[in-house]
mmCIF file with all atom_site columns, all heavy atoms in Angstrom:
data_model
loop_
_atom_site.group_PDB
_atom_site.id
_atom_site.type_symbol
_atom_site.label_atom_id
_atom_site.label_alt_id
_atom_site.label_comp_id
_atom_site.label_asym_id
_atom_site.label_entity_id
_atom_site.label_seq_id
_atom_site.pdbx_PDB_ins_code
_atom_site.Cartn_x
_atom_site.Cartn_y
_atom_site.Cartn_z
_atom_site.occupancy
_atom_site.B_iso_or_equiv
_atom_site.pdbx_formal_charge
_atom_site.auth_seq_id
_atom_site.auth_comp_id
_atom_site.auth_asym_id
_atom_site.auth_atom_id
_atom_site.pdbx_PDB_model_num
ATOM 1   N N   . GLN A 1 17 ? 4.948  -20.925 32.278 1.00 0.00 ? 1098 GLN A N   1
ATOM 2   C CA  . GLN A 1 17 ? 4.924  -21.271 33.693 1.00 0.00 ? 1098 GLN A CA  1
ATOM 3   C C   . GLN A 1 17 ? 3.962  -22.427 33.957 1.00 0.00 ? 1098 GLN A C   1
ATOM 4   O O   . GLN A 1 17 ? 4.302  -23.391 34.638 1.00 0.00 ? 1098 GLN A O   1
ATOM 5   C CB  . GLN A 1 17 ? 4.495  -20.013 34.464 1.00 0.00 ? 1098 GLN A CB  1
ATOM 6   C CG  . GLN A 1 17 ? 4.547  -20.123 35.934 1.00 0.00 ? 1098 GLN A CG  1
ATOM 7   C CD  . GLN A 1 17 ? 5.974  -20.118 36.498 1.00 0.00 ? 1098 GLN A CD  1
ATOM 8   O OE1 . GLN A 1 17 ? 6.161  -19.907 37.645 1.00 0.00 ? 1098 GLN A OE1 1
ATOM 9   N NE2 . GLN A 1 17 ? 6.979  -20.359 35.695 1.00 0.00 ? 1098 GLN A NE2 1
ATOM 10  N N   . ILE A 1 18 ? 2.775  -22.345 33.396 1.00 0.00 ? 1099 ILE A N   1
ATOM 11  C CA  . ILE A 1 18 ? 1.788  -23.417 33.575 1.00 0.00 ? 1099 ILE A CA  1
ATOM 12  C C   . ILE A 1 18 ? 2.354  -24.752 33.095 1.00 0.00 ? 1099 ILE A C   1
ATOM 13  O O   . ILE A 1 18 ? 2.223  -25.781 33.765 1.00 0.00 ? 1099 ILE A O   1
ATOM 14  C CB  . ILE A 1 18 ? 0.488  -23.083 32.809 1.00 0.00 ? 1099 ILE A CB  1
ATOM 15  C CG1 . ILE A 1 18 ? -0.229 -21.901 33.475 1.00 0.00 ? 1099 ILE A CG1 1
ATOM 16  C CG2 . ILE A 1 18 ? -0.438 -24.302 32.734 1.00 0.00 ? 1099 ILE A CG2 1
ATOM 17  C CD1 . ILE A 1 18 ? -1.413 -21.340 32.672 1.00 0.00 ? 1099 ILE A CD1 1
ATOM 18  N N   . LEU A 1 19 ? 3.009  -24.735 31.950 1.00 0.00 ? 1100 LEU A N   1
ATOM 19  C CA  . LEU A 1 19 ? 3.570  -25.982 31.418 1.00 0.00 ? 1100 LEU A CA  1
ATOM 20  C C   . LEU A 1 19 ? 4.631  -26.564 32.350 1.00 0.00 ? 1100 LEU A C   1
ATOM 21  O O   . LEU A 1 19 ? 4.714  -27.782 32.518 1.00 0.00 ? 1100 LEU A O   1
ATOM 22  C CB  . LEU A 1 19 ? 4.160  -25.735 30.030 1.00 0.00 ? 1100 LEU A CB  1
ATOM 23  C CG  . LEU A 1 19 ? 3.131  -25.467 28.928 1.00 0.00 ? 1100 LEU A CG  1
ATOM 24  C CD1 . LEU A 1 19 ? 3.815  -25.009 27.653 1.00 0.00 ? 1100 LEU A CD1 1
ATOM 25  C CD2 . LEU A 1 19 ? 2.265  -26.697 28.678 1.00 0.00 ? 1100 LEU A CD2 1
ATOM 26  N N   . THR A 1 20 ? 5.415  -25.702 32.968 1.00 0.00 ? 1101 THR A N   1
ATOM 27  C CA  . THR A 1 20 ? 6.426  -26.245 33.893 1.00 0.00 ? 1101 THR A CA  1
ATOM 28  C C   . THR A 1 20 ? 5.758  -26.778 35.159 1.00 0.00 ? 1101 THR A C   1
ATOM 29  O O   . THR A 1 20 ? 6.192  -27.786 35.700 1.00 0.00 ? 1101 THR A O   1
ATOM 30  C CB  . THR A 1 20 ? 7.507  -25.210 34.244 1.00 0.00 ? 1101 THR A CB  1
ATOM 31  O OG1 . THR A 1 20 ? 6.944  -24.186 35.047 1.00 0.00 ? 1101 THR A OG1 1
ATOM 32  C CG2 . THR A 1 20 ? 8.102  -24.591 32.992 1.00 0.00 ? 1101 THR A CG2 1
ATOM 33  N N   . TRP A 1 21 ? 4.686  -26.138 35.611 1.00 0.00 ? 1102 TRP A N   1
ATOM 34  C CA  . TRP A 1 21 ? 3.949  -26.698 36.752 1.00 0.00 ? 1102 TRP A CA  1
ATOM 35  C C   . TRP A 1 21 ? 3.400  -28.074 36.410 1.00 0.00 ? 1102 TRP A C   1
ATOM 36  O O   . TRP A 1 21 ? 3.464  -29.002 37.205 1.00 0.00 ? 1102 TRP A O   1
ATOM 37  C CB  . TRP A 1 21 ? 2.790  -25.776 37.152 1.00 0.00 ? 1102 TRP A CB  1
ATOM 38  C CG  . TRP A 1 21 ? 3.223  -24.470 37.733 1.00 0.00 ? 1102 TRP A CG  1
ATOM 39  C CD1 . TRP A 1 21 ? 4.425  -24.179 38.329 1.00 0.00 ? 1102 TRP A CD1 1
ATOM 40  C CD2 . TRP A 1 21 ? 2.471  -23.254 37.762 1.00 0.00 ? 1102 TRP A CD2 1
ATOM 41  N NE1 . TRP A 1 21 ? 4.466  -22.865 38.716 1.00 0.00 ? 1102 TRP A NE1 1
ATOM 42  C CE2 . TRP A 1 21 ? 3.272  -22.269 38.386 1.00 0.00 ? 1102 TRP A CE2 1
ATOM 43  C CE3 . TRP A 1 21 ? 1.189  -22.887 37.322 1.00 0.00 ? 1102 TRP A CE3 1
ATOM 44  C CZ2 . TRP A 1 21 ? 2.833  -20.953 38.584 1.00 0.00 ? 1102 TRP A CZ2 1
ATOM 45  C CZ3 . TRP A 1 21 ? 0.755  -21.595 37.525 1.00 0.00 ? 1102 TRP A CZ3 1
ATOM 46  C CH2 . TRP A 1 21 ? 1.576  -20.627 38.144 1.00 0.00 ? 1102 TRP A CH2 1
ATOM 47  N N   . LEU A 1 22 ? 2.854  -28.189 35.217 1.00 0.00 ? 1103 LEU A N   1
ATOM 48  C CA  . LEU A 1 22 ? 2.246  -29.469 34.824 1.00 0.00 ? 1103 LEU A CA  1
ATOM 49  C C   . LEU A 1 22 ? 3.294  -30.553 34.601 1.00 0.00 ? 1103 LEU A C   1
ATOM 50  O O   . LEU A 1 22 ? 2.974  -31.738 34.561 1.00 0.00 ? 1103 LEU A O   1
ATOM 51  C CB  . LEU A 1 22 ? 1.399  -29.293 33.553 1.00 0.00 ? 1103 LEU A CB  1
ATOM 52  C CG  . LEU A 1 22 ? 0.142  -28.432 33.689 1.00 0.00 ? 1103 LEU A CG  1
ATOM 53  C CD1 . LEU A 1 22 ? -0.635 -28.421 32.386 1.00 0.00 ? 1103 LEU A CD1 1
ATOM 54  C CD2 . LEU A 1 22 ? -0.751 -28.939 34.825 1.00 0.00 ? 1103 LEU A CD2 1
ATOM 55  N N   . LYS A 1 23 ? 4.525  -30.130 34.434 1.00 0.00 ? 1104 LYS A N   1
ATOM 56  C CA  . LYS A 1 23 ? 5.582  -31.125 34.253 1.00 0.00 ? 1104 LYS A CA  1
ATOM 57  C C   . LYS A 1 23 ? 5.770  -31.941 35.525 1.00 0.00 ? 1104 LYS A C   1
ATOM 58  O O   . LYS A 1 23 ? 6.104  -33.121 35.465 1.00 0.00 ? 1104 LYS A O   1
ATOM 59  C CB  . LYS A 1 23 ? 6.891  -30.427 33.886 1.00 0.00 ? 1104 LYS A CB  1
ATOM 60  C CG  . LYS A 1 23 ? 8.012  -31.402 33.661 1.00 0.00 ? 1104 LYS A CG  1
ATOM 61  C CD  . LYS A 1 23 ? 9.036  -30.870 32.718 1.00 0.00 ? 1104 LYS A CD  1
ATOM 62  C CE  . LYS A 1 23 ? 10.015 -31.968 32.385 1.00 0.00 ? 1104 LYS A CE  1
ATOM 63  N NZ  . LYS A 1 23 ? 10.878 -31.636 31.265 1.00 0.00 ? 1104 LYS A NZ  1
ATOM 64  N N   . ASP A 1 24 ? 5.589  -31.322 36.663 1.00 0.00 ? 1105 ASP A N   1
ATOM 65  C CA  . ASP A 1 24 ? 5.687  -32.037 37.940 1.00 0.00 ? 1105 ASP A CA  1
ATOM 66  C C   . ASP A 1 24 ? 4.562  -31.556 38.845 1.00 0.00 ? 1105 ASP A C   1
ATOM 67  O O   . ASP A 1 24 ? 4.772  -30.794 39.782 1.00 0.00 ? 1105 ASP A O   1
ATOM 68  C CB  . ASP A 1 24 ? 7.059  -31.764 38.572 1.00 0.00 ? 1105 ASP A CB  1
ATOM 69  C CG  . ASP A 1 24 ? 7.290  -32.657 39.779 1.00 0.00 ? 1105 ASP A CG  1
ATOM 70  O OD1 . ASP A 1 24 ? 6.329  -33.315 40.242 1.00 0.00 ? 1105 ASP A OD1 1
ATOM 71  O OD2 . ASP A 1 24 ? 8.430  -32.694 40.275 1.00 0.00 ? 1105 ASP A OD2 1
ATOM 72  N N   . PRO A 1 25 ? 3.346  -32.023 38.567 1.00 0.00 ? 1106 PRO A N   1
ATOM 73  C CA  . PRO A 1 25 ? 2.183  -31.513 39.298 1.00 0.00 ? 1106 PRO A CA  1
ATOM 74  C C   . PRO A 1 25 ? 2.192  -31.869 40.779 1.00 0.00 ? 1106 PRO A C   1
ATOM 75  O O   . PRO A 1 25 ? 1.724  -31.080 41.601 1.00 0.00 ? 1106 PRO A O   1
ATOM 76  C CB  . PRO A 1 25 ? 0.999  -32.147 38.573 1.00 0.00 ? 1106 PRO A CB  1
ATOM 77  C CG  . PRO A 1 25 ? 1.545  -33.209 37.701 1.00 0.00 ? 1106 PRO A CG  1
ATOM 78  C CD  . PRO A 1 25 ? 2.988  -32.961 37.504 1.00 0.00 ? 1106 PRO A CD  1
ATOM 79  N N   . VAL A 1 26 ? 2.719  -33.038 41.114 1.00 0.00 ? 1107 VAL A N   1
ATOM 80  C CA  . VAL A 1 26 ? 2.723  -33.431 42.531 1.00 0.00 ? 1107 VAL A CA  1
ATOM 81  C C   . VAL A 1 26 ? 3.573  -32.453 43.336 1.00 0.00 ? 1107 VAL A C   1
ATOM 82  O O   . VAL A 1 26 ? 3.226  -32.076 44.456 1.00 0.00 ? 1107 VAL A O   1
ATOM 83  C CB  . VAL A 1 26 ? 3.244  -34.875 42.690 1.00 0.00 ? 1107 VAL A CB  1
ATOM 84  C CG1 . VAL A 1 26 ? 3.380  -35.228 44.156 1.00 0.00 ? 1107 VAL A CG1 1
ATOM 85  C CG2 . VAL A 1 26 ? 2.300  -35.852 41.994 1.00 0.00 ? 1107 VAL A CG2 1
ATOM 86  N N   . LYS A 1 27 ? 4.650  -32.011 42.741 1.00 0.00 ? 1108 LYS A N   1
ATOM 87  C CA  . LYS A 1 27 ? 5.512  -31.037 43.425 1.00 0.00 ? 1108 LYS A CA  1
ATOM 88  C C   . LYS A 1 27 ? 4.835  -29.668 43.527 1.00 0.00 ? 1108 LYS A C   1
ATOM 89  O O   . LYS A 1 27 ? 4.899  -29.024 44.572 1.00 0.00 ? 1108 LYS A O   1
ATOM 90  C CB  . LYS A 1 27 ? 6.833  -30.904 42.655 1.00 0.00 ? 1108 LYS A CB  1
ATOM 91  C CG  . LYS A 1 27 ? 7.728  -29.797 43.169 1.00 0.00 ? 1108 LYS A CG  1
ATOM 92  C CD  . LYS A 1 27 ? 9.059  -29.794 42.426 1.00 0.00 ? 1108 LYS A CD  1
ATOM 93  C CE  . LYS A 1 27 ? 9.849  -28.517 42.677 1.00 0.00 ? 1108 LYS A CE  1
ATOM 94  N NZ  . LYS A 1 27 ? 10.905 -28.322 41.678 1.00 0.00 ? 1108 LYS A NZ  1
ATOM 95  N N   . HIS A 1 28 ? 4.169  -29.256 42.459 1.00 0.00 ? 1109 HIS A N   1
ATOM 96  C CA  . HIS A 1 28 ? 3.645  -27.893 42.431 1.00 0.00 ? 1109 HIS A CA  1
ATOM 97  C C   . HIS A 1 28 ? 2.246  -27.765 43.030 1.00 0.00 ? 1109 HIS A C   1
ATOM 98  O O   . HIS A 1 28 ? 1.820  -26.663 43.357 1.00 0.00 ? 1109 HIS A O   1
ATOM 99  C CB  . HIS A 1 28 ? 3.676  -27.352 41.004 1.00 0.00 ? 1109 HIS A CB  1
ATOM 100 C CG  . HIS A 1 28 ? 5.066  -27.186 40.481 1.00 0.00 ? 1109 HIS A CG  1
ATOM 101 N ND1 . HIS A 1 28 ? 5.905  -26.186 40.941 1.00 0.00 ? 1109 HIS A ND1 1
ATOM 102 C CD2 . HIS A 1 28 ? 5.788  -27.889 39.583 1.00 0.00 ? 1109 HIS A CD2 1
ATOM 103 C CE1 . HIS A 1 28 ? 7.072  -26.281 40.322 1.00 0.00 ? 1109 HIS A CE1 1
ATOM 104 N NE2 . HIS A 1 28 ? 7.039  -27.314 39.496 1.00 0.00 ? 1109 HIS A NE2 1
ATOM 105 N N   . PHE A 1 29 ? 1.548  -28.899 43.131 1.00 0.00 ? 1110 PHE A N   1
ATOM 106 C CA  . PHE A 1 29 ? 0.211  -28.878 43.726 1.00 0.00 ? 1110 PHE A CA  1
ATOM 107 C C   . PHE A 1 29 ? 0.124  -29.993 44.764 1.00 0.00 ? 1110 PHE A C   1
ATOM 108 O O   . PHE A 1 29 ? -0.682 -30.911 44.629 1.00 0.00 ? 1110 PHE A O   1
ATOM 109 C CB  . PHE A 1 29 ? -0.868 -29.061 42.642 1.00 0.00 ? 1110 PHE A CB  1
ATOM 110 C CG  . PHE A 1 29 ? -0.781 -28.046 41.527 1.00 0.00 ? 1110 PHE A CG  1
ATOM 111 C CD1 . PHE A 1 29 ? -0.059 -28.320 40.377 1.00 0.00 ? 1110 PHE A CD1 1
ATOM 112 C CD2 . PHE A 1 29 ? -1.408 -26.811 41.656 1.00 0.00 ? 1110 PHE A CD2 1
ATOM 113 C CE1 . PHE A 1 29 ? 0.020  -27.374 39.350 1.00 0.00 ? 1110 PHE A CE1 1
ATOM 114 C CE2 . PHE A 1 29 ? -1.325 -25.865 40.637 1.00 0.00 ? 1110 PHE A CE2 1
ATOM 115 C CZ  . PHE A 1 29 ? -0.607 -26.143 39.480 1.00 0.00 ? 1110 PHE A CZ  1
#
Side-chain angles (χ1 to χ4, degrees):
Chain A
Q1098 186 73 163
I1099 291 171
L1100 290 171
T1101 69
W1102 292 337
L1103 293 184
K1104 181 153 188 168
D1105 189 349
V1107 174
K1108 173 176 167 197
H1109 294 288
F1110 304 93

